[in-house]
Structures are given as structure tokens and as C-alpha cells.
Amino acid sequence: MDDENDVDGETLYCICRSADSERFMIGCDHCEEWYHGDCIGITTDDAKLIKRYYCDACIARNKNLQIQYKTKKKDRRTSESSEYEKFDKNQKDYRNKLREKMASKNKKASRKCGDCSACSRNEDCGRCDYCKDMKKFGGSNKLKQTCRMRQCTSYSNKSRSRGHAEVDDALETDDEVPRQCYGPSCVEPARIGSKYCSDECGMKLAKSRIYEILPSRIQQWQSSPCVGEENNKKVLESLREETIEARTRLKQLDVKIQELDLLVERGKQLTIVAEQEGTDQEEDTELSIYCVTCGTELNHKGALRHMEKCYLKFEAQTSFWSLYKTHIEGNSMFCDFYNPQQKMYCKRLKILCPEHTKEPKVSPDAVCGCPIATNLFAEGETLCRIAKRKCVKHFCWEKLRRAEIDMQRLRQWMKLDDLFEQERNIRMAMSNRMGVLGLMLHQTVDHDPLRVMKTIVS
DNA sequence: GCCAACGTTGGC
DNA sequence: GCCAACGTTGGC
């Protein structure tokens, strides 16, 4: 503190922090600081009436302090009373003027009442989050806020939306008179602005509080039912069921893929039968078909082929990129092509991605192999044996089926993701509820006298 | 120009 | 509504 009060060997006084000791000064009988009479609105005549003077800062910190007069206040009805009243009035006027002056001079000062303990602190505590953010305490200066201990308490109780963090190590009264450290069996004086002499003592007391309170809280927690906990458990159970369902569905879809693979393999064994071609050509020759993507009128023979190409053309114009590669157990359905310039991964379905998946070349001997429908909803064992290149009925059937399965797989994975997120939130709520902090901070008081009986009986 | 910190903004 | 982040501003 000496360096703050000392500049170039000179002692600094008063609220003006000047070294001037030539003019009239009065000393505070509490902090022993000296104040210029004209700086604090006290004349030499006023001083004659005062027995013990306490400065504004000390009075603000300790409400028990009051300026003591040579004649007691109750005797003020005497001839001298007018003098005291005059002095009191002067002081009030002076303070009001000072406040107005400060307010007009500095808009930022409007957040300080000037009277509370926080306003009279002249050093940052160095321990709160705002102090730790400050450059002088090695912070990054992101928060740029006033030390918690210096934030005006009057202002914070009305208009500040930001909560004043209750720090256990903070003062209740902020009385800067050193007192005994609150640490268990510690006899050292507490640090100024703290209940403790050191961080260790604060931690020691916190620890012993936990040892003292926690066991009974755990017992209480275990003996009384908690509706929130029960509800959470129920939701967790239903989430678990839904997860199992989604996983079963995924397995079924995997089986579907295997079945499709087998079907394709079976088709490969077949040879082309040309006769079927003739019968098909006669059907529906007069029907008009329009492309679902571009709207052009199409010949039914080339309709599917056109629509597929047209779709791919339009699909290629839109990109679906993500910064992250997909991590899925088993085969991923995403393209996940990595673009090194953008540093991103393609998120189209792999089977449908026109940009990064090349269509396999169809050999002239390849058979279509699509199962032929026996009626609208069922398909028989018979496979289409027209040449793959020529079959207009089942164009790209295999690709579309794979895409359909992949879409269903994707839907299930998204559902699993959603279920996982919900479970995580519930588990977090549950662990918060019965975590050390939760148990220490909250407890349930049961006001129903019958409930106690029930617990005892059961 | 530097610094403290107020007041606003945007994300959650 | 809360809060981290930050642009801005006033004082020095």
C-alpha cells in the first residue's frame, strides 16, 4: 500500500490523492487518513464541534460509525443546536453536490453510488472471474468487466441484469477491520476483503462442510422419493426401448441389403432372353409421360432413362457439404468425398451421388435381373431377363433399391442420434440432481406428517 | 495511444 | 432471460 500513498517519497492524502498538507486538514479516527477540509466540505469552524471524525468511506463500510460531536446530539436543543444543524445541512449539501458533479462529469460514474462498500474499494480483488480476465492478472481481457468486489451493490440491486456472483470468500459486511480467519482451527487474521487468511483455509472449511452435511443429505435423498427422478427413469426406459427398436430395424435393413446382393448375384447367372422385348413394345404406345424434373414430354420407352439422367443433372447443381466425416458402424451410406480445397466432406447418399460416384459400365451380356411383379404388391421368383442396356421398365432398379434402403438406414441412425441426445440430457439432469453440488445446495422438506409414518411403517 | 469498463449483441 | 464476447467510449 505504501507505494500507492507515496509518490516520489511524498505522502499522498485525502480523496484528491495530493501531497498538499499546507491547507486545513482533518483526520479520520478510524482509518487515520487525512482529508482536506475543502475537499470534503468541512470548515475549521465545523471541526471545532467534532470530537471524533469518521470519513465517508469508513462510514459506508461500517454503518455503526457516526461522527461524534463534542456535545451529544440529544442536547442539541441548546443554543449550539443551530450550529450542528447547519453543519449537518452543509455536509448533506456538499455530498449531493459532489454526487451531481461526478454524475455530470462522468457518465460511467452513474453506475456507482459512491457510498457502498464496493464503491469505496480501491483495489481489484484479483480472485473473481472478472479480475482473472484482466490483463494485469494474466487474463485475455475478453470480459472487460469491473472486479466483482467493486461493482456497486446499490446499483446491482436495482437495475443491473447481470447477477452478482455470490463468492463464499467474499465479505458479508466488507468491514475492512481484520478479523479471525474462518478456516477450521485457524487463528490467523483474515485477508482484507475475505473471511479467510488464505485460499487453503477457504478450501478446508468447504471440505469440512461437505463432510459434515453430505452424508445426511445422501441418507435423506435415499429415504425420500423424488418425482423428477422417477419421471426421468421412466423416460430413460422408453428411450432404451426405442433405441433397441431402431437397432433391430437397422439389422433388418442390413439383411435387406444382403438379400438384394443375393438377388443381383442370381440375376448375373441368367442369360438374355430376347423374346420378351416384342411383347413390351406394343403396350402403352399412346400414353404421354412428362419428366418429373424438367417437365419435358417423353417417349415411354426412354422415360425412366431420361428422368434418371435429368435428376442427376439437377442433383449435381446442389452441393451438400459438411466439415465432418461420417462415423457410422458398418457401411456408411454417405458419399464422404473429401474436397481438400474446401476441407469438407460430401454428404449425398453414396449410391446417388452423381458427382463422386461413377456409374458402373454395363456389359452387353448383362441381364436386367429385376424381380418381376406378379401383382401390384408382391413380386415372384421370376427375374426380368431382358438385356440390362435395353430394359426400359427396370432402368436403374438396383441403384434405386439400394438408395431406398440407405434412406431408411439414415432415418434410423438419425433417430438413434436423437435418442442418444435425449438420454444424455436426462442423465445429466439426474447426475446434477444427486451430484455433490445438487445435494449440498438443495433439499426437500416434506410437510406431510403422514408421509413420515408411511416411511417408518414401510 | 492505452486502458478500464459500459452497453449492446447474438447465441443458447 | 442469461451470459460471453466485443465494439465503443471516456479518461488519462
Side-chain angles (χ1 to χ4, degrees), chain A residues 12 39 60 83 106 108 112 123-124 154 161 185 189 202 208 216 232 236-237 241 290 332 345 351 360 377 379 388 429:
Chain A
L12 302 180
C39 280
E83 290 297 312
N106 180 5
K108 290 189 177 185
K112 294 192 176 289
E123 271 179 68
D124 292 331
S154 320
S161 61
S185 64
S208 60
S216 62
N232 284 165
L236 272 186
E237 183 56 33
E241 277 168 19
Y290 297 92
S332 165
Y345 297 87
I351 193 84
F377 302 107
E379 52 190 33
K388 203 169 211 168

Side-chain angles (χ1 to χ4, degrees), chain A residues 2-37:
Chain A
D2 285 345
D3 12 310
E4 196 196 323
N5 288 333
D6 259 47
V7 170
D8 298 331
E10 281 190 297
T11 309
L12 302 180
Y13 305 103
C14 187
I15 51 172
C16 64
R17 308 314 296 152
S18 78
D20 180 13
S21 57
E22 295 300 307
R23 49 197 220 266
F24 163 68
M25 289 168 93
I26 185 166
C28 171
D29 287 307
H30 190 256
C31 66
E32 294 178 354
E33 174 68 57
W34 286 90
Y35 296 92
H36 297 117

Side-chain angles (χ1 to χ4, degrees), chain A residues 260-296:
Chain A
L260 185 59
D261 286 343
L262 285 175
L263 199 64
V264 171
E265 274 309 305
R266 193 150 71 86
K268 280 185 187 167
Q269 312 299 321
L270 299 174
T271 50
I272 297 172
V273 176
E275 298 93 79
Q276 289 179 353
E277 218 176 315
T279 50
D280 281 352
Q281 266 183 335
E282 286 158 23
E283 291 171 18
D284 304 329
T285 37
E286 284 171 26
L287 262 183
S288 302
I289 300 172
Y290 297 92
C291 172
V292 288
T293 312
C294 70
T296 323

Side-chain angles (χ1 to χ4, degrees), chain A residues 62-160:
Chain A
N62 189 346
K63 302 285 180 210
N64 297 326
L65 293 179
Q66 265 190 330
I67 298 173
Q68 289 175 20
Y69 304 89
K70 283 180 180 163
T71 315
K72 285 184 183 172
K73 282 203 175 186
K74 60 181 176 186
D75 297 330
R76 280 197 198 172
R77 281 186 204 135
T78 63
S79 59
E80 279 182 304
S81 68
S82 58
E83 290 297 312
Y84 289 103
E85 275 162 18
K86 207 170 115 191
F87 170 63
D88 268 1
K89 193 176 173 297
N90 281 348
Q91 280 283 291
K92 271 180 198 162
D93 287 351
Y94 161 74
R95 284 195 187 120
N96 286 337
K97 269 184 195 164
L98 192 70
R99 234 167 267 158
E100 277 169 28
K101 201 175 149 192
M102 287 296 281
S104 63
K105 193 181 168 192
N106 180 5
K107 275 184 190 173
K108 290 189 177 185
S110 62
R111 274 173 171 272
K112 294 192 176 289
C113 69
D115 284 342
C116 70
S117 53
C119 285
S120 42
R121 275 185 84 98
N122 45 19
E123 271 179 68
D124 292 331
C125 74
R127 294 198 297 275
C128 70
D129 51 343
Y130 291 155
C131 277
K132 282 175 184 164
D133 172 64
M134 292 174 192
K135 275 194 176 165
K136 63 176 174 182
F137 295 113
S140 54
N141 198 35
K142 275 182 183 169
L143 302 178
K144 301 176 186 170
Q145 302 296 318
T146 317
C147 164
R148 295 262 189 202
M149 302 297 288
R150 295 180 72 182
Q151 285 179 0
C152 175
T153 48
S154 320
Y155 196 88
S156 70
N157 291 334
K158 273 186 281 146
S159 50
R160 277 179 76 90

Side-chain angles (χ1 to χ4, degrees), chain A residues 12 92 159 180 191 260 289 333 340 344 390 454 458:
Chain A
L12 302 180
K92 271 180 198 162
S159 50
Q180 191 177 331
R191 285 191 298 217
L260 185 59
I289 300 172
M333 65 290 279
M344 289 207 271
K390 287 182 180 168
K454 277 181 219 157
S458 60

